[in-house]
Amino acid sequence: MWETDHNELDIKVLPLRGRLLVRPWLTVIEDGFSRLVTGWALSLYPTSAEVLVAIREGIVIDLERGPWVACRS
């Protein structure tokens, strides 16, 4: 079981070609058992596209990022 969390971060950034500071959003996909973050996406404005990117990060095998070994505390 995976859980999804979508939060506005407590920092402000200046986007490219932007004039106003904005708070970015972090979308995280987390394994419910191990609490391991399997995928994430960072964006300036939250949309369903960021959720899909985070899910893809979690299911695509990438040898540069894994294999993941979950540690239980």
Side-chain angles (χ1 to χ4, degrees), residues 4-37:
T4 303
D5 194 11
H6 196 69
N7 289 311
E8 191 173 23
L9 300 177
D10 289 332
I11 61 172
K12 290 189 178 183
V13 297
L14 183 63
L16 295 174
R17 297 179 298 267
R19 294 184 181 177
L20 299 175
L21 293 173
V22 296
R23 292 176 57 193
W25 288 80
L26 176 64
T27 302
V28 176
I29 306 293
E30 182 179 285
D31 180 69
F33 175 75
S34 66
R35 311 312 278 174
L36 178 73
V37 173

Side-chain angles (χ1 to χ4, degrees), residues 53-72:
V53 167
I55 291 171
R56 183 184 185 283
E57 285 287 317
I59 62 175
V60 171
I61 296 171
D62 182 357
L63 297 177
E64 304 247 339
R65 295 189 310 141
W68 298 110
V69 178
C71 298
R72 294 191 58 136

Side-chain angles (χ1 to χ4, degrees), residues 6 23 25 27 43-50:
H6 196 69
R23 292 176 57 193
W25 288 80
T27 302
S43 62
L44 295 178
Y45 306 101
T47 68
S48 59
E50 282 72 39

